[in-house]
Amino acid sequence: MTPVSAPTATDRAVADVPFETSGHSGDPVRWWRTPGQLRDEALLVARTALGTVEQVVCFAPPRHLFGHLFGVVLPGLLGVPVVRAWDDPMSVPAPRPGLRTLFVCLPSSWLVMRSLVPSTADHPGAVALHGTGPVTDAARTLVRDRRGTPFTAVEVFGSTETGAVALRHLADHPGARTPWQLLDDVVADVEDDDRLTVRGPRLARRDGCERPLTAWTMDDTVTPAGPRSFLWRGRASRMIKVNGVRCDLGAVEDAVASAFPGTEVVCTTTGDPVRGERYDLFHTAGPARVDARTIRTALRASLPGCPLPGAVHRVDRIARSATGKPLLNRLTAPLATTSPTPTRVA
């Protein structure tokens, strides 16, 4: 494999490119990347996991790092056409037949992919690159249904600050414990609190700083799983204590979503004068009956001893950023202005 070079002074002199964190739980932060960093990352991921690419269908908007890397930079380097599916992300695009196709996917893209991928049966190969969000049931179902065909799917683990850190094949069932494999130019250490610290030549430069990061400790907690590989456990910021009992909000969301397929679930933290900390649960309507009582029953069955949410709110929709992350400030803003009476389950 060709080694990846560090960004040069010439790269930085051309024009650094800004990207912002989503700001889903606070104000966005701007980070800058050099053209060399972008070029190296796109080519490294392509060499590691994508194989031959003859056209790109990109659902991720290019204002975000993931969409820019694989919907703008990579096709430009390879000289291949791009279908700009981000312009109308819920319509079914029409890629050219007979070409090896890269699909650049967000969580919401997989409903469209379900209609699109079967029509690519005559393609000599197709790979979906999934990033910047959780894997959906629609994604797993499609991967399972296409098993044994030239279609494959790969997940990207990373952030705006670090770029791509690791890759793995997308599993077709939610319980899979598939390790992430670090990319060749990444060095990573697991801290005492199990958070992952990343070093490498592609770390971004924060707005207002002269130099890029030398290291970045991610919010992700992991367990080492062998040489240069790890298992993802969750986010440190999603682990709270309610009256002294630890609670993983990600596990709560997964448990409720598994109990009520088709229902979107998001938990948010809030202060509590008695318990010190608590969480509220927001959910949309789904095909099955879901309310505070059934949510409480499901959580007690799947997560015995887990603190229950302080309040349950049913909402029409959960607003998300272009990369699929829930916009928590929009979710909780109506509560501050209307002060509805929540459904208590604890």
Side-chain angles (χ1 to χ4, degrees):
M1 183 175 291
T2 304
V4 177
S5 60
T8 66
T10 302
D11 291 328
R12 285 188 286 270
V14 175
D16 289 356
V17 183
F19 300 95
E20 290 186 346
T21 55
S22 63
H24 65 286
S25 58
D27 294 331
V29 177
R30 178 171 292 179
W31 297 86
W32 296 83
R33 294 187 173 277
T34 70
Q37 288 178 312
L38 297 171
R39 176 199 65 223
D40 290 348
E41 181 164 337
L43 291 177
L44 178 58
V45 172
R47 289 196 302 267
T48 304
L50 304 184
T52 301
V53 174
E54 297 174 322
Q55 71 177 333
V56 175
V57 177
C58 185
F59 293 93
R63 66 180 179 275
H64 293 283
L65 178 61
F66 181 61
H68 187 81
L69 281 168
F70 302 106
V72 177
V73 176
L74 182 63
L77 292 169
L78 299 179
V80 300
V82 181
V83 178
R84 297 165 50 98
W86 65 79
D87 287 336
D88 190 2
M90 296 314 294
S91 67
V92 179
R96 291 170 55 188
L99 298 179
R100 297 178 185 270
T101 305
L102 168 64
F103 298 94
V104 184
C105 297
L106 300 176
S108 60
S109 310
W110 289 92
L111 293 175
V112 178
M113 290 283 288
R114 189 170 54 187
S115 300
L116 177 61
V117 168
S119 69
T120 65
D122 64 334
H123 289 207
V127 58
L129 195 62
H130 177 85
T132 67
V135 175
T136 63
D137 290 338
R140 294 190 182 98
T141 298
L142 182 58
V143 170
R144 185 167 56 249
D145 291 346
R146 303 303 292 176
R147 189 185 299 160
T149 74
F151 176 80
T152 59
V154 176
E155 289 185 79
V156 181
F157 177 91
S159 68
T160 304
E161 298 88 352
T162 63
V165 171
L167 304 175
R168 71 177 180 181
H169 286 286
L170 195 153
D172 60 9
H173 60 96
R177 299 282 288 170
T178 307
W180 291 92
Q181 192 70 36
L182 292 173
L183 286 163
D184 287 353
D185 66 343
V186 173
V187 176
D189 298 300
V190 181
E191 304 296 332
D192 291 341
D193 60 359
D194 296 331
R195 293 169 68 189
L196 191 69
T197 293
V198 175
R199 296 173 178 83
R202 293 182 285 103
L203 298 184
R205 173 173 63 84
R206 184 165 183 156
D207 199 35
C209 297
E210 293 185 0
R211 298 180 180 276
L213 300 166
T214 57
W216 181 256
T217 299
M218 305 178 75
D219 190 40
D220 302 273
T221 58
V222 304
T223 300
R228 295 183 56 78
S229 65
F230 61 87
L231 293 170
W232 184 81
R233 290 168 48 188
R235 291 187 177 275
S237 61
R238 309 228 68 204
M239 187 70 71
I240 65 172
K241 278 191 175 182
V242 179
N243 203 27
V245 179
R246 289 169 66 87
C247 176
D248 184 340
L249 298 185
V252 171
E253 293 169 353
D254 289 345
V256 176
S258 296
F260 306 101
T263 299
E264 288 190 85
V265 185
V266 172
C267 295
T268 64
T269 58
T270 182
D272 188 290
V274 176
R275 301 181 179 187
E277 195 171 26
R278 75 169 202 207
Y279 71 96
D280 290 355
L281 186 146
F282 294 77
H283 70 90
T284 60
R289 179 175 178 269
V290 53
D291 56 24
R293 184 182 298 276
T294 56
I295 286 173
R296 176 173 55 190
T297 300
L299 285 175
R300 283 177 169 162
S302 58
L303 298 175
C306 177
L308 298 175
V312 172
H313 306 275
R314 177 170 167 173
V315 295
D316 293 333
R317 61 183 293 268
I318 292 175
R320 296 182 181 274
S321 70
T323 56
K325 295 179 181 179
L327 299 172
L328 303 185
N329 49 354
R330 294 190 189 178
L331 196 62
T332 58
L335 303 182
T337 56
T338 61
S339 300
T341 301
T343 303
R344 297 281 170 183
V345 296

